[in-house]
Amino acid sequence: MAYNTNVYFVIFLPIAIILYQIIPKKYRWVILLLSSIVFFALISKWLILWAFLTIIIAYISARIIEYKRETKSKYVLVKCIMLIGICGMILILAGLKYTNFAVELIGKIVNTGVTFEAIAVPIGISFYTLEAVGYVLDVYWERIDAEKNILKLALFILFFPTLMEGPICRFGDVKNQLFEGNSITVDSLRQGVIRIGWGLFKRMIIADRLNAVVNYFYLTDPYYEGLVVIIMAILTTFQLYAEFAGTIDIVIGSALIFNIKLPENFRQPFMAKSAAEFWRRWHITLGVWLKSYVFYPVTTSRLVTKWNKFAKKKVGRHFTKVVTSAIALFPVWLINGLWHGPKITYIAYGMYYFIILVLEIAFEPAGKAFWKKVGVEWNGRFANGVRIFRTWIIIVLGEMLFRCESVTQFFKLCGNIFTTDFAGGLFGGKLVDMGLSVEDLIVALLGMVIVFIVDHILEKKPDFITGIPTLSRPKRWAIYYFVIIVIVIFGAYGEAYRPVELIYANF
């Protein structure tokens, strides 16, 4: 039962809404918890026990940390408790998710021929584990108090809208909303439905329609060349964006119905002028988590502090900044790659952005000097346009690497772009051969154009979608009918409709 299925929209969500609304306010959080447990169990069955174990470890660790601190225990003891708790949760994640990968990799290196039976993994394990680890660290750093009710902590970690694809929440940001039990209002229901409708548009018009051709392109390891590779790399990027961002719209909309506002996970990522800015706009909550719990601790560590004091005097501020950034960014992007899953291309994807970001920091002064020398304003329209186009190239290549089955396939496809018969494959019907009809392509392209237009509006008016109900009746109902009709005709009932699984739910 995924977020884009009829079971979720017709049965599960309506029942949860009705039960939530008829139960007394102080018990409504219990309905959300029971709904979340049912949601998890329907998908992963007995594997929910692993999530329960993570919750127990997080709860006990945080309570002991708080108790030891209140009783003035030694700092070393409190730190050891924190590390034991975090290591326990990470070991569960690593054991379930990476054992198969590690055994296969070792077998290839030493040629042992040892195989390992695949281990079943709970849905969204990477998402809820990061939330649990962040919760324990926040208690350790005294940013929040430890939750005394383990069932309330369980609701935070298992909350069904965030369970499969995020966004990754922090306990202090959402606890009041989860436990207050505010009534569902006409406005909250309307805002939630509007956001869900926009998410369905992205998924059903773009992501689901492009899914089959994208899968065919990468799974068949074809010898496609030239313009076909470029087009497929662009379509891959939009397919991933529409799937992930569309699902996030659905889950944020689902939570809004209950008057729970989740953090945004996307903010017009294709408007970014650099790779660093792109990651401040794409999968925002993962970036915030890594910045809060990995990047900042590394930059304030004793090793980096000593390096800064030494290097500023010896090699200058800029070189010091580049090296410091590299030291702090390496674990961030290694964890980012590993977090996505046990696959070499995911690790390569993390290292790809690590290299790009370090190069951006290193060459930023040179870039500013270049634009000044040619007489172009650094933040002017032309320079920004060039930087956005450059960032698009970085993004598209990165998403192609992310989607490839191997690093070898990625380099092979990159090499195939530079061919003497650059556009021959396109006019030879290669896209049609992969299952992408002209009608499919037109619908997907129109959907992408609409998403671009809305993103452009949101860049200037962030409250555009939430403000739709305040528009005049003709305008708002024109928008409602347009989205509904397009989804019905070209989505669920379109000839080329192919539902795609939640990609990020596997992470």
Side-chain angles (χ1 to χ4, degrees):
M1 179 180 62
Y3 301 120
N4 60 326
T5 61
N6 291 333
V7 176
Y8 178 78
F9 289 117
V10 178
I11 301 175
F12 177 83
L13 189 57
I15 291 175
I17 291 171
I18 293 170
L19 292 176
Y20 179 89
Q21 192 70 353
I22 64 176
I23 291 294
K25 181 177 180 178
K26 65 178 180 179
Y27 298 118
R28 282 173 176 164
W29 69 270
V30 178
I31 294 300
L32 293 179
L33 174 60
L34 292 175
S35 300
S36 300
I37 292 173
V38 169
F39 183 84
F40 199 131
L42 287 174
I43 300 174
S44 291
K45 300 181 175 60
W46 64 269
L47 294 174
I48 194 174
L49 297 177
W50 288 112
F52 288 157
L53 181 57
T54 296
I55 293 166
I56 292 169
I57 293 173
Y59 176 79
I60 293 175
S61 301
R63 290 302 304 276
I64 294 176
I65 288 170
E66 191 170 71
Y67 172 76
K68 291 296 183 182
R69 182 179 289 115
E70 290 174 352
T71 56
K72 308 298 182 182
S73 297
K74 292 183 179 180
Y75 170 76
V76 175
L77 177 61
V78 176
K79 187 174 183 178
C80 286
I81 295 167
M82 177 271 292
L83 290 174
I84 291 171
I86 289 177
C87 288
M89 292 183 285
I90 292 176
L91 281 173
I92 294 172
L93 170 65
L96 293 175
K97 194 171 179 179
Y98 302 101
T99 300
N100 301 336
F101 173 73
V103 171
E104 290 180 5
L105 185 62
I106 293 171
K108 290 178 181 179
I109 293 173
V110 300
N111 197 25
T112 60
V114 176
T115 58
F116 193 85
E117 186 176 352
I119 300 175
V121 180
I123 59 164
I125 184 172
S126 293
F127 288 96
Y128 72 70
T129 300
L130 288 193
E131 289 186 334
V133 169
Y135 164 75
V136 172
L137 285 171
D138 282 343
V139 172
Y140 172 73
W141 286 326
E142 299 185 70
R143 293 172 177 170
I144 59 173
D145 296 326
E147 175 56 54
K148 294 178 173 56
N149 189 332
I150 191 173
L151 296 180
K152 288 186 174 181
L153 179 62
L155 171 58
F156 163 68
I157 293 174
L158 300 179
F159 186 42
F160 71 86
T162 65
L163 187 60
M164 295 180 73
E165 292 204 2
I168 301 166
C169 301
R170 298 175 70 166
F171 186 74
D173 294 337
V174 299
K175 65 175 183 177
N176 291 334
Q177 300 178 73
L178 287 173
F179 309 143
E180 280 176 351
N182 292 324
S183 296
I184 297 171
T185 63
V186 173
D187 184 62
S188 70
L189 184 62
R190 182 168 48 205
Q191 290 290 350
V193 171
I194 290 172
R195 193 66 183 265
I196 288 172
W198 180 231
L200 286 173
F201 179 91
K202 290 177 183 177
R203 283 194 56 91
M204 299 175 72
I205 303 302
I206 302 173
D208 292 351
R209 190 169 294 275
L210 295 177
N211 180 50
V213 65
V214 169
N215 283 340
Y216 183 90
F217 179 75
Y218 292 101
L219 294 178
T220 55
D221 194 23
Y223 290 90
Y224 295 116
E225 299 177 337
L227 193 56
V228 173
V229 176
I230 294 175
I231 291 174
M232 286 308 303
I234 294 171
L235 294 182
T236 298
T237 301
F238 271 93
Q239 197 266 341
L240 287 169
Y241 173 60
E243 190 281 326
F244 194 14
T247 302
I248 291 297
D249 286 326
I250 293 171
V251 302
I252 288 178
S254 298
L256 279 174
I257 292 174
F258 300 99
N259 262 307
I260 297 170
K261 189 174 182 179
L262 299 176
E264 294 292 340
N265 218 26
F266 290 89
R267 193 178 68 254
Q268 300 78 253
F270 299 112
M271 304 291 179
K273 296 183 283 293
S274 67
E277 185 184 352
F278 170 73
W279 273 96
R280 291 194 294 270
R281 293 168 173 265
W282 175 286
H283 209 339
I284 296 169
T285 56
L286 176 61
V288 170
W289 194 97
L290 290 169
K291 183 185 293 184
S292 301
Y293 302 111
V294 181
F295 182 82
Y296 285 151
V298 172
T299 55
T300 56
S301 65
R302 187 175 301 176
L303 173 65
V304 174
T305 302
K306 286 184 177 180
W307 159 256
N308 285 336
K309 289 182 179 179
F310 167 79
K312 284 179 182 178
K313 298 177 182 178
K314 301 292 184 180
V315 296
R317 288 182 176 274
H318 182 63
F319 185 77
T320 302
K321 179 183 177 182
V322 173
V323 175
T324 300
S325 299
I327 293 171
L329 287 172
F330 180 78
V332 166
W333 289 101
L334 178 62
I335 293 171
N336 186 303
L338 287 169
W339 178 86
H340 280 91
K343 196 174 177 182
I344 293 295
T345 49
Y346 293 154
I347 299 172
Y349 177 75
M351 292 299 98
Y352 169 82
Y353 271 105
F354 165 70
I355 294 170
I356 293 292
L357 291 177
V358 172
L359 289 176
E360 281 188 348
I361 295 169
F363 288 100
E364 183 180 5
K368 290 182 177 180
F370 169 78
W371 290 115
K372 185 177 181 180
K373 188 174 182 179
V374 297
V376 176
E377 186 181 349
W378 168 253
N379 283 320
R381 182 174 295 181
F382 179 76
N384 282 339
V386 172
R387 292 204 299 276
I388 289 173
F389 181 72
R390 178 200 63 189
T391 305
W392 284 353
I393 296 173
I394 293 171
I395 294 168
V396 169
L397 286 175
E399 296 309 307
M400 186 168 74
L401 171 59
F402 180 86
R403 190 60 183 78
C404 277
E405 294 300 307
S406 66
V407 176
T408 302
Q409 184 187 38
F410 170 73
F411 283 115
K412 174 183 170 184
L413 289 172
C414 288
N416 285 355
I417 293 174
F418 305 99
T419 176
T420 53
D421 190 20
F422 182 71
L426 178 65
F427 296 112
K430 290 291 180 65
L431 292 177
V432 176
D433 293 343
M434 286 186 277
L436 185 66
S437 67
V438 175
E439 293 81 5
D440 285 346
L441 184 59
I442 291 173
V443 171
L445 289 176
L446 288 175
M448 290 158 59
V449 169
I450 292 171
V451 169
F452 252 118
I453 291 172
V454 173
D455 277 2
H456 183 72
I457 295 173
L458 286 170
E459 186 73 5
K460 296 182 178 180
K461 298 180 179 180
D463 59 347
F464 170 71
I465 292 178
T466 58
I468 289 176
T470 64
L471 297 174
S472 63
R473 183 174 296 178
K475 288 181 180 179
R476 68 172 182 265
W477 279 103
I479 294 173
Y480 295 157
Y481 280 126
F482 173 78
V483 173
I484 292 170
I485 291 171
V486 168
I487 289 175
V488 169
I489 295 177
F490 298 106
Y493 300 100
E495 180 182 352
Y497 174 66
R498 305 175 186 92
V500 55
E501 293 184 1
L502 305 182
I503 298 172
Y504 276 73
N506 297 317
F507 297 152

